[in-house]
Amino acid sequence: MSELPSAAEQIWKGLAVSPGVAHAIVHVLKDHFDEPDATPIEPDQVEADLARWRKALEVTQTEIEALQAAMINEQGSGEAEIFEAHLLILNDNSIRKQVERTVRDLLICVDAVYYRLMCKHMDALRGLSDSYLRERYLDIKDVTHRVMRHLRGEMLDHPMFDDPVIIVAHDLTPSDTVQLDRSKVLGFAIEMGSANAHAAIIARSLSLPAVVRLHNICDDLHSGDPVLLDGDEGLLIRRPSAETLAKYRSREAQADAREDALHVTRHQPSITGDGCLVKVSANAEFIEEMAVVRDSGAEHVGLFRTEFLHLEDPDASEDWLADCYTRATKIMAPGEVIFRTLDLGGDKMDPRMTSEEEPNPFLGWRGIRASLGRRDLFRRQLRALLRASAHGKVGIMFPMVSGVEEVREARALLDQCAQELMHEGVAIGEDIAIGAMIEIPSAAVSADLIATEVDFFSIGTNDLIQYTIAVDRLNERVAGLYQPTHPAVLRLIRMTVEAANKAGIRVCICGEVASDVELTPLLVGLGLHELSVTAGQVSRVKHAVRKLSLADCRTMAEEVMCHGCMTNGYEKTRSMAMAKYPELFE
Ligand code: PEP
Ligand code: MG
């Protein structure tokens, strides 16, 4: 943190990950497992407070039972016994009675009473060498965390803020994000995070400013503090002065004028000066964004991340999913919506999916692996997608494909679902394009094999970069190594494009690099047919493509590939971008 105190305002500098400026009060989301404050309550609040806690216990029970059932499916009943112990702890009558008595006697909110009581039990077992007792300690910890999360979730379900706010948090997971009332959120200021974490991606998608790596702000700020969040410069300003606000107002007016000029041409096709069409589509995560996506000038939706709808309601029915997918499809009609099947795992954890924490979730049960392992969920989603395909143009793509077998297996299940629906007399679309995401080096290297199984490729550079260079996309210590112009990454992209061209299928990039207009010349030169970008960047990327010539971009890309140095590659594409469309960098 760099804090520069002044008489009237305080400034923190972090890393800008989503552009824009917001001026509002903050709402500080406390870490899930901070000891809850012992907030006093009035006698007439006791019953409502206890009811909230009982509801959290109930939801936790459903969650544990679902995990237990999943584990029986996966591994047989032996391993599932652990959840019996969890249910016994959850339903322990003496704990329940003691909590109720203490809340009534001391008139303290139930969160603090329950948490402290469970900590007392944990303290009694912590550090014991007996492995049985140590396991019991871990069981109590696990159950307590689940209940506390639901107690907090309950509060999030009933919005804690009536006015628009800037969310301040230690970290923000995708499941935290889906629980927020997004109509009231104007920006994100986060202590942890990185440009490629899904919270940052969502902020860009929703066109909300976001700044990460604002260390310790959760301790320094209080809900209700007025701040200005600058997602262009990475600044958070508490109590901005009249002078600062005036400076930002004039900057905003200039930015609006520039945006207006781009807005006018947004629906025109993106054809290079020498006649090559490079389509620009948009990425989306939420149904409520779709109107903005359609208005952005995007040709279609190149990536709809379905995990976020799943995290909003992990128990959603096939009917609800089909309805959501249909709504998205109808809004974009006649344009296509390419839905990516669930890419849970990594930083998009659904606690119900896995029964135990994985040592390295990004190399674990993620994407298509998890879907193929949870066929009940996968079938529900595929059937819902097929039903939506009767109402517009739907594409389906599989995430985290590592080789050809996974694609075959997923397609076979899709065909089976289509047959079933036809037998049931349910209409489905006729022309559904099926694609594979290329985001693991093994998939890029075997792209020629995978190409014969699909209608298109979508290159997920966010993951392709992390897996190729072995650099965690969320880890700020190694963020400097996360380089899209690393020669190995460029070779894998080129290999994928060549395999697609040979097989006569289309190839798109849907990772964040597609939204970066400094990289557009290089991506066009590498032969990408399409760029799927954040909705807010569509008009800019289209403008960039129109200003380029394919021949020049190809020559530059060839030079970059021969040179084999990532700094050189970045400088070459950047200087072409600056020369061809300087107006985008003003
Ligand atoms: C990617 O990896 O580039 C991608 C688009 O998928 P996600 O960011 O959701 O992992
Ligand atoms: Mg990915």
Side-chain angles (χ1 to χ4, degrees), residues 340 343 366 400 437 439 460 462-463 473:
R340 173 175 77 183
D343 182 20
R366 206 196 142 178
M400 292 294 294
M437 284 197 70
E439 49 187 344
N462 303 340
D463 281 309
R473 66 194 262 189

Side-chain angles (χ1 to χ4, degrees), residues 110-171:
V110 70
D111 309 50
V113 171
Y114 179 71
Y115 187 81
R116 285 177 187 182
L117 179 64
M118 297 306 269
C119 285
K120 240 192 204 167
H121 286 287
M122 283 188 257
D123 285 344
L125 299 169
R126 197 199 314 259
L128 295 179
S129 53
D130 182 298
S131 64
Y132 174 81
L133 292 177
R134 202 184 131 63
E135 285 301 315
R136 298 291 71 76
Y137 159 75
L138 291 175
D139 290 342
I140 299 175
K141 187 171 164 204
D142 189 293
V143 171
T144 308
H145 282 189
R146 281 184 197 282
V147 174
M148 293 310 294
R149 195 166 44 222
H150 287 303
L151 269 173
R152 177 176 174 267
E154 282 287 304
M155 286 150 65
L156 283 169
D157 276 349
H158 306 109
M160 295 172 291
F161 31 88
D162 297 326
D163 297 319
V165 291
I166 290 167
I167 294 291
V168 168
H170 174 65
D171 203 358

Side-chain angles (χ1 to χ4, degrees), residues 352-417:
R352 293 158 194 235
M353 284 283 283
T354 47
S355 42
E356 52 201 47
E357 270 184 27
E358 293 186 289
N360 195 340
F362 274 100
L363 297 182
W365 214 48
R366 206 196 142 178
I368 193 68
R369 304 166 183 182
S371 288
L372 289 171
R374 281 297 306 271
R375 283 175 185 251
D376 51 337
L377 282 186
F378 199 21
R379 283 170 45 79
R380 181 175 71 186
Q381 174 167 48
L382 293 175
R383 284 175 58 96
L385 287 170
L386 288 166
R387 285 168 57 179
S389 72
H391 303 277
K393 204 160 165 42
V394 162
I396 298 178
M397 68 178 174
F398 305 120
M400 292 294 294
V401 163
S402 65
V404 78
E405 286 82 1
E406 286 156 340
V407 178
R408 287 194 189 130
E409 215 182 315
R411 284 203 75 147
L413 195 62
L414 182 67
D415 287 346
Q416 214 183 75
C417 292

